[in-house]
Amino acid sequence: MEFIGDFGMILLATIRDVLPIIALIAIFQLLVLRQPIPHLRRVLVGVVYVILGLALFLAGLDKALFPLGKIMAQQLSDPNFIYGHQVTEGEVQWWAYGWVYLFAAFIGFATTIAEPSLIAVAFKASEVSAGTISQWGLRITVAMGVALGISLGTFRIVTGTPLYLYILGGYLVVVVQTLYAPKSIIALAYDSGGVTTSTVTVPLVAALGLGLAEAVPGRNPALDGFGLIAFASLFPIITVMGYAQYNQWLAGRGKIVPSKEDS
Amino acid sequence: MSLENPSFNIAPYLAIIFKKLRDAVTDLLPIVVVIAFFQLIVLRQPLPQLGEVLFGALLVVMGLSLFVQGLEMGLFPIGEAMAQALARKGSLFWLLTFSFALGFATTVAEPALIAVAREAAEIASQGGLIASGEKAIRSYALGLRMSVAISVGLAILIGVLRIIRGWPIHYLIIGGYVLVMLMTIIAPEEIVGIAYDAGGVTTSTVTVPLVAALGVGLASIIKGRNPLVDGFGLIAFASLLPMIFVMGYGLLIFS
């Protein structure tokens, strides 16, 4: 019965999240637009589905995946697992953390595939591009960006190098790519940076960052624990534009492979 | 999928439900594989409480399929309907008011943001950047939250204005990046990590589909706009502007 209580709390929290949006739309419909919403009943049923679905989704994650994922993140970064014994700051070797980087990449990829907001944006992108941008193509490209980003982010925490160097470097790459990437992909690429980090990815990734910053000798969780989310929102922009550029390049070489993102 | 179908037949509905569930299983599969691989092969430990985990996974699958169905029935149509109604009304003032309010209202109460703001305030207090004590921490956290919420409101407003005017997105985004870079150099180190993360936590699972439908809806109605080129980008602004505002807030408070 404990679960029903937990689920009730999550459901209430979800309703509280949706309430300001419903209030805003209702106020605008009643006071400003003064016209009925088409298919109102169907839309309302849809909103109920969204709230119920999101609450079930979060309750399930809380029950099954988050506890296990957080324990695993701690175990993998534990010096006893990595070195077989406790170490001091001077003994930290960045190459000893191979499993951590791999776990970061895999969990980043996997959680992004299950991210509901990315599913929504991929759906819209596929719809407006009349299918030339495939839902799975976009989702896998974004997930690979997140994998790369989080893996690099854990490397940064282990080595203790400053966050801004990576982020500014990444921005530079994005700026240069923007100049050459097909125009039609640019806005979508920028958007895919923002959608990757919500319900599923943030809790697991934040736990990974803080756990790692605590476990690596000489790192300060308050300073080094943050920043993984920034990595996860930057690198998908690079991979999505990169994939579009790759397709353009293939098309430009006169290969038979048709360009997916025709500009 | 018309609801007005007089001869009610359950078979097509079952087929849809089955397909949604199968999609959700596919979406969840990578997480299960990764966790099982690391737990069993790398850490060499048994899966604890297998029953609980399986039950949780079942909830996730059901939740995800319900959410996607609700997306297609509720959130997307309502976002598009609002875009259409506001565009037809032809009042730029109301359109921009709606955009700002949507960004502000969905962000200000976001639990992830409240948590991050609180954490940031505690770190700033420990680092001696603000006075210690509950009152100072609370007022700093509130200020941080407000600056993020206002910045997301402004972000959606600017993004909608861009769609209407047809400004190319890359100038705005690159300009924003340059600003972030410059501010990173002068902002206090303690705020930089939080500012970068603030960009990521603002875009919730309910906001994203609604905002995407709004942008694409506007770009499809306004003549001369392409839904793919002009319709996206609202979320990008919503993740960029908070970084600038949070660093700005840090500069304002700490100097």
Side-chain angles (χ1 to χ4, degrees):
Chain A
M1 284 312 97
E2 183 199 334
F3 168 73
I4 297 191
D6 289 350
F7 179 71
M9 293 299 289
I10 293 174
L11 189 63
L12 278 180
T14 314
I15 292 173
R16 199 191 51 203
D17 278 2
V18 179
L19 220 53
I21 304 177
I22 294 178
L24 177 70
I25 291 174
I27 290 172
F28 261 76
Q29 286 294 339
L30 293 173
L31 300 181
V32 181
L33 298 168
R34 292 201 202 105
Q35 49 180 244
I37 298 172
H39 311 292
L40 184 61
R41 220 181 60 183
R42 193 178 143 81
V43 167
L44 287 180
V45 172
V47 171
V48 171
Y49 280 2
V50 163
I51 293 172
L52 261 182
L54 210 52
L56 276 174
F57 184 71
L58 291 174
L61 288 177
D62 267 352
K63 199 147 196 64
L65 296 165
F66 288 163
L68 203 54
K70 283 173 186 171
I71 293 170
M72 288 172 67
Q74 273 169 1
Q75 284 175 336
L76 282 169
S77 50
D78 186 356
N80 286 323
F81 170 74
I82 291 169
Y83 300 99
H85 54 84
Q86 289 293 327
V87 290
T88 56
E89 187 177 353
E91 292 176 278
V92 171
Q93 299 158 324
W94 64 264
W95 58 88
Y97 289 82
W99 283 121
V100 174
Y101 307 143
L102 201 67
F103 179 71
F106 279 3
I107 205 78
F109 182 90
T111 52
T112 306
I113 291 292
E115 199 65 80
S117 6
L118 180 60
I119 296 177
V121 166
F123 185 93
K124 270 282 154 202
S126 158
E127 190 186 83
V128 297
S129 69
T132 48
I133 296 173
S134 83
Q135 288 192 41
W136 274 103
L138 182 67
R139 284 168 67 189
I140 289 174
T141 314
V142 171
M144 278 162 57
V146 175
L148 188 71
I150 297 187
S151 195
L152 201 63
T154 50
F155 171 77
R156 179 197 81 83
I157 294 177
V158 170
T159 55
T161 33
L163 171 66
Y164 66 90
L165 282 182
Y166 293 84
I167 301 295
L168 297 190
Y171 278 178
L172 225 56
V173 174
V174 169
V175 168
V176 172
Q177 271 186 306
T178 303
L179 299 176
Y180 299 102
K183 260 214 175 60
S184 56
I185 202 72
I186 289 174
L188 186 61
Y190 287 151
D191 265 6
S192 39
V195 298
T196 50
T197 47
S198 57
T199 333
V200 200
T201 317
V202 169
L204 272 184
V205 163
L208 182 65
L210 287 172
L212 194 59
E214 265 166 34
V216 178
R219 296 291 162 269
N220 174 2
L223 269 181
D224 301 307
F226 289 96
L228 274 187
I229 297 167
F231 275 90
S233 10
L234 177 60
F235 280 79
I237 308 181
I238 296 175
T239 50
V240 170
M241 282 203 276
Y243 183 62
Q245 282 175 295
Y246 173 71
N247 274 325
Q248 198 185 34
W249 177 75
L250 277 187
R253 282 176 75 218
K255 286 212 168 182
I256 323 153
V257 187
S259 167
K260 281 221 161 139
E261 285 82 17
D262 206 18
S263 64
Chain B
M1 255 215 340
S2 167
L3 282 179
E4 290 84 0
N5 193 348
S7 58
F8 188 78
N9 183 358
I10 199 150
Y13 292 94
L14 281 179
I16 290 165
I17 292 169
F18 180 71
K19 186 180 176 301
K20 286 270 170 347
L21 283 174
R22 207 184 49 194
D23 286 351
V25 169
T26 319
D27 296 336
L28 190 67
L29 205 59
I31 301 188
V32 175
V33 172
V34 169
I35 287 190
F37 171 76
F38 274 88
Q39 189 74 0
L40 300 174
I41 314 263
V42 181
L43 292 165
R44 300 214 184 125
Q45 275 166 11
L47 287 169
Q49 299 158 319
L50 194 62
E52 290 250 304
V53 172
L54 284 178
F55 177 58
L58 185 73
L59 291 184
V60 172
V61 166
M62 273 164 39
L64 198 56
S65 17
L66 256 183
F67 175 81
V68 171
Q69 179 66 28
L71 212 64
E72 288 164 30
M73 282 171 66
L75 285 188
F76 282 155
I78 207 162
E80 278 157 25
M82 289 305 286
Q84 264 178 17
L86 283 162
R88 229 183 289 130
K89 191 172 170 62
S91 157
L92 189 63
F93 170 77
W94 282 118
L95 181 56
L96 294 183
T97 308
F98 179 77
S99 313
F100 180 85
L102 184 64
F104 183 86
T106 53
T107 312
V108 75
E110 172 80 29
L113 176 63
I114 295 173
V116 166
R118 173 78 204 182
E119 217 165 327
E122 273 160 17
I123 289 166
S125 167
Q126 280 161 17
L129 286 162
I130 54 170
S132 55
E134 182 61 25
K135 208 175 157 220
I137 290 180
R138 233 185 239 172
S139 96
Y140 177 80
L142 185 69
L144 209 56
R145 233 173 90 193
M146 282 300 150
S147 31
V148 172
I150 291 173
S151 67
V152 175
L154 276 181
I156 307 290
L157 187 150
I158 295 172
V160 164
L161 202 58
R162 171 193 93 84
I163 295 174
I164 297 169
R165 296 271 184 263
W167 297 329
I169 189 168
H170 46 275
Y171 293 127
L172 290 167
I173 296 279
I174 291 176
Y177 279 173
V178 171
L179 209 57
V180 169
M181 292 184 199
L182 290 177
M183 291 185 89
T184 302
I185 298 167
I186 51 171
E189 195 192 349
E190 284 78 4
I191 197 108
V192 170
I194 290 160
Y196 285 170
D197 277 0
V201 298
T202 52
T203 42
S204 86
T205 312
V206 182
T207 321
V208 166
L210 207 58
V211 164
L214 180 74
V216 168
L218 278 177
S220 338
I221 298 163
I222 298 170
K223 277 207 180 69
R225 300 285 170 273
N226 175 333
L228 186 57
V229 178
D230 302 302
F232 290 97
L234 290 179
I235 300 154
F237 286 115
S239 2
L240 180 64
L241 230 55
M243 293 196 235
I244 298 172
F245 270 59
V246 169
M247 283 197 272
Y249 179 70
L251 282 170
L252 209 72
I253 293 290
F254 298 149
S255 57

